[in-house]
Amino acid sequence: MQPGGNRSFRDLRPKAENNPPKITFPCDYPVKVVGDAAADFAAAVCDVVKRHEPDFNAAGIKVIDSRNGRFQSVRLSIRATGEAQLQALFDDLKATGRVHMVV
């Protein structure tokens, strides 16, 4: 034991790469958008998504309410063409002021 009663532990988890995993574009890319529950939240999300993926089909979205009904998550998939497209989509979703998180 070290002075003060603190133990020294080794981190046995595998070391993560400094680079995120590479994505091969174009690809189908799942997106989850979380925001405050509202009747028009999914439609607002779809409007933003259509600006970045004109062929987006909203028929495949899933809207899931939180346990207490305060939040909604909108799950969808887009045809991603590149990192710039994804970053612009994420930025525009957050800029609505209605989105808390984009995953």
Side-chain angles (χ1 to χ4, degrees), residues 39-93:
D40 66 337
F41 181 66
V45 168
C46 289
D47 288 343
V48 174
V49 171
K50 285 179 185 176
R51 282 188 257 153
H52 296 276
E53 213 285 77
D55 295 330
F56 172 69
N57 183 357
I61 70 166
K62 293 182 182 168
V63 179
I64 300 170
D65 294 324
S66 66
R67 192 175 350 206
N68 65 7
R70 183 173 172 206
F71 300 102
Q72 284 180 325
S73 70
V74 177
R75 297 175 187 196
L76 54 96
S77 183
I78 66 166
R79 189 69 180 161
T81 57
E83 290 183 28
Q85 175 204 30
L86 293 176
Q87 189 60 56
L89 171 62
F90 293 177
D91 292 345
D92 283 356
L93 285 167

Side-chain angles (χ1 to χ4, degrees), residues 33-38 41 70-74 98-101:
V33 183
V34 179
D36 293 324
F41 181 66
R70 183 173 172 206
F71 300 102
Q72 284 180 325
S73 70
V74 177
R98 301 181 69 182
V99 172
H100 295 287
M101 180 173 46

